[in-house]
Amino acid sequence: MEKNKEYSIWIISPNDVYHMLSNLIIRLAKQYSTPVFDPHITLLGDIALPEDFVVSRTNELARKIRPFNVTLTTIGYLDDFFRSLFIEVAQTKELMEANWQARKLFKRGYDPEYFPHLSLMYGDIEPQVKERIIAEIGRYFNIKFSVASIHIALASSKIDPKEWRILTEFVLKTTQGEKR
């Protein structure tokens, strides 16, 4: 395994929501000199395993979970580089189960409690600046979308966001053609 080759499993929103969020991330990045990155919800991150193993397990994960809905709710922020400014994601049973399935497949039961969110900015930004941004763009989102696939990204907290890239997509299990 190459140094700094770590993966994440991402949920990517449909095109219309993706473009709206991407434009917002780019605008904020230009205005505040922060990194630009693809809008995503990390289902499981910092996977330091060989790529073929990650692909195999993610394919298995996609077969275990059915399509589900995601709701982006309220903007929040933390004093954390990768969770500097974000939109919280409703912790639905389906989303939390998808995370649990990923944790089981990758033997990551020891991970901290899952906090689903979609980051808007990375960086060390003062709380007053974050409050000013929230006042400008609004605190509440209530954006809903369907999740029909998951993605493997070459991305982790140890890799510069400029280097991140989506590698492959896996369609989630559907009820069509299933045998009981």
Side-chain angles (χ1 to χ4, degrees), residues 36-53:
V36 174
F37 51 90
D38 289 312
H40 65 277
I41 300 164
T42 301
L43 191 59
L44 190 70
D46 295 336
I47 304 169
L49 296 166
E51 186 173 330
D52 59 342
F53 183 82

Side-chain angles (χ1 to χ4, degrees), residues 131-142:
E131 286 292 343
R132 194 168 52 242
I133 293 167
I134 292 169
E136 176 193 328
I137 64 176
R139 185 171 300 275
Y140 304 101
F141 271 69
N142 196 30

Side-chain angles (χ1 to χ4, degrees), residues 5 17 23 37 42 73 77 98 130 143 154 157 170 175:
K5 201 157 189 183
V17 175
N23 289 338
F37 51 90
T42 301
T73 61
Y77 60 86
K130 296 174 192 179
I143 296 173
L154 180 59
S157 60
F170 295 89
T175 54

Side-chain angles (χ1 to χ4, degrees), residues 11 19 29 46 50 56 64 68 70 78 89 113 126 132 139 149-150 153 179:
I11 295 169
H19 291 303
D46 295 336
S56 171
K64 287 181 177 281
F68 58 95
V70 162
L78 294 170
V89 177
E113 184 177 342
E126 294 296 319
R132 194 168 52 242
R139 185 171 300 275
S149 64
I150 53 178
K179 293 181 181 173

Side-chain angles (χ1 to χ4, degrees), residues 37-137:
F37 51 90
D38 289 312
H40 65 277
I41 300 164
T42 301
L43 191 59
L44 190 70
D46 295 336
I47 304 169
L49 296 166
E51 186 173 330
D52 59 342
F53 183 82
V54 175
V55 168
S56 171
R57 287 291 164 99
T58 305
N59 185 40
E60 189 176 338
L61 176 63
R63 289 192 318 261
K64 287 181 177 281
I65 50 182
R66 296 182 189 279
F68 58 95
N69 294 319
V70 162
T71 303
L72 306 179
T73 61
T74 309
I75 291 195
Y77 60 86
L78 294 170
D79 184 21
D80 178 330
F81 185 88
F82 286 103
R83 291 187 289 184
S84 188
L85 185 71
F86 54 83
I87 306 171
E88 292 183 35
V89 177
Q91 294 187 18
T92 63
K93 179 182 172 203
E94 295 83 4
L95 175 61
M96 299 308 279
E97 177 64 20
N99 169 259
W100 178 242
Q101 290 293 337
R103 290 164 70 132
K104 282 194 325 190
L105 279 171
F106 286 95
K107 298 185 182 354
R108 297 272 295 271
Y110 58 85
D111 280 6
E113 184 177 342
Y114 182 49
F115 176 66
H117 65 282
L118 189 144
S119 290
L120 296 175
M121 290 177 76
Y122 294 151
D124 299 315
I125 301 155
E126 294 296 319
Q128 304 87 329
V129 173
K130 296 174 192 179
E131 286 292 343
R132 194 168 52 242
I133 293 167
I134 292 169
E136 176 193 328
I137 64 176

